[in-house]
Amino acid sequence: QDWVPGADPFGEAARALDDAGLEVHTWVVLAHNSRMGAEHPATAVHNAYGDPYPWAPCIARPEVRDYLVTLAAEAAVRPGARGAELESCGWYGLAHPHAHDKTGQLPLSGAAQYLMSLCFCPVCSAGYTGLGVPAAELRGAVVRALEPVWAGAPAAPADRAGERAEIGALLGADLAGVAHAWREGAARTLQRAAVRAVRDAAAGEFRVLLHADPAAHRCGANAGVDPADVLAHADGVVVPCTGDDAVRADALGPFADRPAGATVAANLTVVSGMGGRPGALAADAAHAASLGAGELRLYHAGLASDRDLAAVRTALGVLVERSGG
């Protein structure tokens, strides 16, 4: 690497953190890779219109899955690290915060985001057909369901359950069931293989968490998971919790019934310019804890302004005082 000075920037940072008494855990981004899509276009998700998403590798492709599993093991297990967090360990799709994106002018519901993220590459097309629905039939249903969106139909807000119900209403229960079965099966296969590969590479006690969303149909950095399934093989999850109390309850609630010892960490954005709430951090963190979150993640100190960081310091002081620490 040449974007950070030094021969071993990770090692230097790990030693500095260890000297300060802080545990070191790696953070690995998996199925979000624009370079892969640019150099190997066939590996990318292709939507119902045939457009590729170069940033979104299709995780149903065996060669992509093998690459991501190898990357997870090689990047996560580093000298000095005692665990790892795997981001985007599942499907990526349309949504891609980037300077050149031009999709924000037309708000899409969660269901429309899902439809625009369905992959119709040859591997996925064969997968749908193998589950009993010709890919052309599913593709046609997706295109028809999206026509009102392009005509300007308003996007009604919905929670996770509402999104899934809307997908079923738009595609029909049978087509939606096939799409869910194919995609969720591919995601589970990747997630299990990645966790197993990291543990095998670590060859010792090494905690593996997934950045995860409890709605299996969702895409992105917080990949959709089945809460019961993911906690049967991973040590825990990091869950997006930025927003009001209802947002946190919807995100953390599905993980309430979990195995003893499983970690649930609440991830709160603390950058005001990214929709974060640093001024409400103490209250938001306390609410997350009341919903079962045992750890906290703050995204992202390196992007926060001095004002945001000052608010974070104040909030953390309040939390430490409340805990008696």
Side-chain angles (χ1 to χ4, degrees):
Q1 64 83 33
D2 58 5
W3 56 282
V4 178
D8 182 18
F10 178 89
E12 293 175 15
R15 288 188 292 274
L17 290 169
D18 186 65
D19 290 344
L22 298 174
E23 283 191 13
V24 175
H25 292 246
T26 55
W27 179 357
V28 183
V29 178
L30 294 177
H32 181 193
N33 189 327
S34 297
R35 181 174 179 179
M36 177 189 288
E39 295 183 358
H40 305 281
T43 65
V45 167
H46 286 66
N47 68 23
Y49 301 97
D51 302 320
Y53 299 150
W55 55 85
C58 173
I59 64 169
R61 301 183 69 92
E63 73 276 21
V64 169
R65 183 172 60 249
D66 290 347
Y67 171 79
L68 297 178
V69 169
T70 301
L71 173 63
E74 291 183 353
V77 183
R78 304 292 299 275
R82 298 175 61 179
E85 297 184 8
L86 305 181
E87 179 186 315
S88 57
C89 190
W91 288 99
Y92 228 85
L94 171 67
H96 179 235
H98 190 278
H100 298 293
D101 282 356
K102 299 294 188 293
T103 58
Q105 74 277 13
L106 186 63
L108 300 181
S109 68
Q113 287 273 0
Y114 176 84
L115 297 183
M116 281 297 294
S117 299
L118 286 178
C119 183
F120 288 90
C121 75
V123 171
C124 287
S125 294
Y128 303 137
T129 301
L131 291 175
V133 171
E137 181 180 345
L138 178 58
R139 183 196 296 264
V142 169
V143 171
R144 289 190 298 274
L146 287 168
E147 287 176 357
V149 176
W150 312 138
D159 60 12
R160 290 168 172 83
E163 289 175 0
R164 198 166 180 101
E166 185 183 355
I167 293 166
L170 290 170
L171 294 181
D174 291 343
L175 293 183
V178 165
H180 292 324
W182 172 251
R183 290 171 62 81
E184 291 165 23
R188 286 193 300 270
T189 298
L190 170 63
Q191 289 156 6
R192 292 172 180 171
V195 171
R196 183 170 57 250
V198 171
R199 287 208 177 109
D200 289 346
E205 187 173 341
F206 195 85
R207 189 175 72 164
V208 185
L209 308 183
L210 268 61
H211 286 223
D213 189 289
H217 64 272
R218 286 195 169 180
C219 306
N222 302 296
V225 300
D226 176 317
D229 181 78
V230 72
L231 293 179
H233 58 270
D235 295 307
V237 289
V238 179
V239 184
C241 290
T242 300
D244 60 21
D245 288 1
V247 168
R248 270 185 299 283
D250 193 44
L252 291 170
F255 294 107
D257 184 15
R258 60 182 183 268
T263 297
V264 173
N267 195 1
L268 296 170
T269 301
V270 294
V271 181
S272 296
M274 298 176 67
R277 296 156 43 103
L281 176 58
D284 290 351
H287 182 243
S290 75
L291 295 170
E295 295 186 8
L296 191 63
R297 300 290 184 276
L298 306 180
Y299 187 87
H300 180 304
L303 302 175
S305 67
D306 289 346
R307 177 179 294 181
D308 289 342
L309 291 175
V312 169
R313 281 192 292 270
T314 298
L316 292 180
V318 170
L319 293 171
V320 169
E321 184 177 353
R322 287 177 183 171
S323 69

